[in-house]
Amino acid sequence: MTVSSKEGETSRGGPSQSTKISDKKDNDAIYRVYSALSFFFMLIVVGFPLWWKTTEVHRESLPYTEISSLNDLKLSFHVNAIVSTLDKSRGEDFIRELKKLFRTSEIYNINFTWVDADRALLGSMKSITDLELSSMSRLRPGEIKLLEIPGLSRFCPDQILVGQRRSIYFSTDASPLRMHDVLHKWLLQEETLVQTMKSLSSQTGERDYTSRYRLPPAEGYNLLVTAVNPDPESLNTSHWDLPQAISDYITPFLDKLSTVANFSLRSQWIYLTPLEIRPCRAPEGGFVLDAESLPQLITPLEKKLASHVSNNPCIQLLVYVPLCSESPLRLQPSDPSVSKYSGLPGYTMGFHSPRWGGLVLQNPTADACTGPQPVLVNPDWPSLAAIWLQQLRSLIGIPEHAPIARASIMPEPQAAVRLWEVDALMRIRALEQLLSARLTLQSLSALLEEISNIVIGKDVAEAVEAGVEGLHTSVEHLASGNLARGLSSARNAFLQAEAAFTDPSLLSLLYFPDDQKYAVYIPLFLPVMIPVVMSLRKMKTWISVLRTEKLKVE
């Protein structure tokens, strides 16, 4: 009984020692659970998103949809052609036939309008010069005037005469078909434009002859004129005024092309650079270099030209003074029918290389070579400049015009370029820059969509948007007949697209892909994550124990 009473007293007293220990263990378990939850919350809910956001690559939004839809832009050139005749019915019939002939044009939209010819002015003309001065009505770049001249045979034997400006003169018996050929092949150069469009659009199309020689589109071009004297002790060229010759002959030509591109002129002298190949003796006398040896002539000169003065393409124009032991030196082109500026059939005094430049020979005279030393070499600047200008025409993209029966072109002006040739070059340049800008933007868009960790900064995004806007603006201007603004917008689109594609910020994380990022950060996060994951396992066990006890109580 006594024992029973003591046991009862014990059961009615305070909590036993085992109960206190159990409660303490429960409290420690709860603290551990809360601690694990707090670590999980800070690491997974707060830390991981914060790390992900701070290590995220900054990418401005780009107009991907607009860039992908650039292929749907229909490029066309609107041309205003004014037909002026004495008889209105003949003029309307002439226009009707021309419209039929140009109906199948792939790239041109020509608007023919008729105006009455000035009879008094036509009757007062006495020469071709008066003919040109009479047509000095203000025509915008790209516009054409077709003027009927009764008795055109007084000035030329052909039915159609193309002037130096933007006018075409035709006789009363000129046919619309021949006029279509003149417009199509000479002034509008539609085949060159279509071929350029196909080659640039597919990147696999065959370029025509003019495109292979023409310099690529760029912001500007550097023109470097170099005089080469292989032996200054025996060849006296100290009296040459090379800068003045450039100013007299080349600067007026480039001024006419200021609307097409920006040109910077430089000149230099190179000494002690003889030919590394020995010319052969020609049957007619003197020495000759054949076409196969011309690349060997350029190679030693190219090393000393120092032409890399900017990022713009450089046009090389060289004049080489052969030694008396190699004079007179001539060049034999691959086509034996060529005989330019030499006076001898099958020979030439200069040649040009596609997208590089040209070279001209200035031989010392025989009397100078037999006289006292040093030999005085007098430059024939008009002849040298004539060859240089022909080379520049080919390099810039002004083709040699194929002959058309009963049609002719007035001789080149002193600046060696006609206004309608400048207009044709403006169309070609606008087309090249538009297609190049479109291709660049689409390539950049595909690259940025494929590689997600390339930084897209604000400058890149603004350049891309400006390029897309410039493309649309240029197409609108060209379709409305505003050639000057269309070319300006196309140039801006081209420059903006190139600036975006070559921006240095695009390369900042290009060679740090996601797998490398994970390889760097996993060793940092894994030691921290293991205890957290293990604690989650203990927390799971504790929760399961609580559920079991709850079920027992119930």
Side-chain angles (χ1 to χ4, degrees), residues 257-377:
L257 300 175
S258 59
T259 56
V260 178
N262 297 321
F263 294 90
S264 62
L265 275 167
R266 291 178 175 86
S267 62
Q268 66 177 354
W269 281 85
I270 294 181
Y271 298 99
L272 302 176
T273 307
L275 298 177
E276 293 188 359
I277 52 177
R278 300 193 63 178
C280 303
R281 287 192 174 274
E284 300 84 0
F287 299 85
V288 63
L289 289 173
D290 56 16
E292 296 180 356
S293 61
L294 295 182
Q296 304 176 31
L297 182 63
I298 295 177
T299 302
L301 297 174
E302 180 70 24
K303 299 176 183 178
K304 299 185 178 182
L305 287 178
S307 58
H308 303 291
V309 294
S310 73
N311 294 326
N312 295 329
C314 186
I315 307 174
Q316 304 288 350
L317 292 181
L318 286 80
V319 52
Y320 184 86
V321 183
L323 299 170
C324 284
S325 58
E326 301 171 345
S327 298
L329 181 63
R330 299 182 182 88
L331 305 175
Q332 187 174 21
S334 56
D335 187 359
S337 63
V338 175
S339 58
K340 292 183 179 179
Y341 315 109
S342 63
L344 294 176
Y347 296 101
T348 181
M349 299 305 296
F351 73 95
H352 64 283
S353 179
R355 300 193 171 194
W356 179 80
L359 182 143
V360 187
L361 299 176
Q362 177 60 68
N363 289 299
T365 62
D367 295 338
C369 286
T370 57
Q373 297 292 325
V375 176
L376 184 65
V377 182

